Amino acid sequence: WVAPICAAVVALFGMFEDPSINVLTMYTENYMQGMANFTMSWFPAFLLGAVFGKMMEATGAAKSVGLMITRFIGAKQAILAVVIACAALTYGGVSLFVVVFAIYPLAVAVYREADIPNKLIPGPIALGAFSFSMSGIPGSPQIQNIIPTQYYGTTAMAAPIMALAAGAVMAVGGVLWMKYRERKLKAQGLHFTEPTNLEVFDESSLPNAFVSLIPLISVPITLNILKLELVASLLIAIVLTALLNYKCFRLFEKCLNEGAAGGLVSIGNTAAANGFGAVVKAVPGFTTLTSFVFGIKGSPLISEAIATSLLAGATGSASGGMSIALSALGPKYAEMAAGNTGVLEALHRIASISSGGLDTLPHNGAVLTLLAVSNCTHKESYIDICITTCIIPLVSSLGLALIWGLFL
C-alpha cells in the first residue's frame, strides 16, 4: 500500500512542473500499467518458485539436505556449515523464506554442540541465503539474478568472472566476520542457551538426503546447461519433488494452495514497486533524475550500482528496487552498451549484486522473518546481518563497478 501512496505524491509534485498531469490518471493508467506489465512477465516464476519451496519444506527434503551438509562439515565449523547449507538450498531455487524455516533448527543443533551463542544464528543464515548465493554465483535461479535478463538480453550466467569475484568477497568476508564475532562473544563468557520456540523434528521421518538433492540440482542444470526458461526449470523441479516424495501425496494440495498464496503476495509487493517506477518515469522530474544518474562520472556501472542500491534500500526489497531502477533506466543503459555483450553482462551482474545490498536494512521483510524465527532482536543480531548482507555486498558492488568500469 505504500507504493501507490508514494506514486500519488510523485504525481502531485509533478503537477507543479506540468499542470496537465492528472493524479487519478497517473494511478489508473501509468501505475496500473507498470504493475500489470511486471505481473504478466514474472507471475509464473514467482508462483512456481513459491510452490517448489513449499514442497521442499513440507516433504522434509530441504531440511534433509541441510542436515546432511551441517553434519558433513561438523560442529567445529558450525558457522560455515550453516552458511553452506543455506547457500545450497538457495542456489537450488528454494525461496529465501523457506530456507530460514528449514535451516534454523539445524543451526540450533550444531550451535548447541559447538556452544556458540544463539544471537549468532541469524547472521550465517542471512549470509548463506540473502547474499552471494543469489547474485554472486553464476547461474543462480533466484529472481534477483533473472530480472536483469529481460532488460539486457543476457542469461543467468552473465559475467561469470565478475560474479565469482563478488561471491568470493561476500562469502569469505562474511564468514571471517562471523568467526570474529564468535571469538569475541565466547571471550565475553557467552554460551549457547536452549531456545524456547524450537519445534523438535523426527530425523527418521526425513527423506533420503541424496534423493532430496535431485530437484535442487535439476534447477541450475536445466536453467544453465539445457538453457530452459526459469518457469520450465521450476516446473521440472516440482514434478521431481512430487515423484521422489510420492508418499507425501496428501501434502501436495496444501503446498499448492500455500505456495500460490505466497507467490501472489511476493509478486504483488514487487509489482507494486514496479508501478511506482512507472509513475516516476512519467513525470517531468524523471528527466532531472536521469540527467543526475547518467551525469555521475565514470563508467555507467557506477551509476547503475548507486541507483539500484538506493532504490533497493528505499523499498526494502532487492527485486523491487532493481525492478524500479531497470524499468526506469535499463533501456538507456542498454542503449549505451550499443550491443556490446561484455558491457551488457557487466550491467546485468552489477544490477544483481547491487540489489542485494541496502535491501536488508532493518525494515526488510526477510530480515524481520529471520529474527522472529530465530527468537532474536535487532539489538542482538542485526549487526551481523548488516555486515554480511548489507555492507560487504555494497562494497563489493561499488568496488567491482569501479574496477570493471576501467576495462569496459
Side-chain angles (χ1 to χ4, degrees), residues 88-105:
L89 293 178
T90 303
Y91 193 71
V94 177
S95 67
L96 310 183
F97 290 94
V98 171
V99 172
V100 170
F101 285 100
I103 296 300
Y104 172 65

Side-chain angles (χ1 to χ4, degrees), residues 152 280 285-311 324-326 328-330 332-333 336 347:
Y152 299 130
V280 171
F286 179 66
T287 303
T288 306
L289 173 64
T290 303
S291 299
F292 167 74
V293 171
F294 290 111
I296 297 175
K297 294 183 178 180
S299 165
L301 299 181
I302 299 173
S303 62
E304 184 188 46
I306 293 173
T308 306
S309 295
L310 291 176
L311 287 167
I324 295 174
L326 294 186
L329 305 172
K332 181 65 176 179
Y333 283 123
M336 293 170 65
L347 287 166

Side-chain angles (χ1 to χ4, degrees), residues 363-407:
H363 61 295
N364 174 269
V367 169
L368 295 173
T369 299
L370 173 57
L371 291 173
V373 171
S374 304
N375 200 29
C376 295
T377 64
H378 279 78
K379 182 178 180 180
E380 291 174 324
S381 303
Y382 181 71
I383 181 64
D384 300 319
I385 298 173
C386 181
I387 296 294
T388 58
T389 69
C390 185
I391 303 301
I392 295 178
L394 185 63
V395 172
S396 299
S397 64
L398 293 175
L400 283 173
L402 286 167
I403 295 171
W404 248 259
L406 298 174
F407 303 99

Side-chain angles (χ1 to χ4, degrees), residues 140-152:
S140 172
Q142 293 298 323
I143 200 71
Q144 293 83 357
N145 186 44
I146 302 299
I147 289 176
T149 62
Q150 188 181 53
Y151 297 91
Y152 299 130

Side-chain angles (χ1 to χ4, degrees), residues 64-155:
S64 180
V65 171
L67 183 62
M68 177 183 67
I69 293 173
T70 52
R71 279 185 171 172
F72 176 77
I73 297 176
K76 288 185 178 180
Q77 295 294 333
I79 287 175
L80 182 62
V82 172
V83 172
I84 293 178
C86 291
L89 293 178
T90 303
Y91 193 71
V94 177
S95 67
L96 310 183
F97 290 94
V98 171
V99 172
V100 170
F101 285 100
I103 296 300
Y104 172 65
L106 308 182
V108 168
V110 291
Y111 272 48
R112 180 189 294 117
E113 188 174 346
D115 193 26
I116 298 175
N118 306 52
K119 66 172 66 177
L120 296 185
I121 290 179
I125 293 178
L127 173 59
F130 304 168
S131 64
F132 66 93
S133 58
M134 72 180 191
S135 62
I137 305 179
S140 172
Q142 293 298 323
I143 200 71
Q144 293 83 357
N145 186 44
I146 302 299
I147 289 176
T149 62
Q150 188 181 53
Y151 297 91
Y152 299 130
T154 49
T155 69

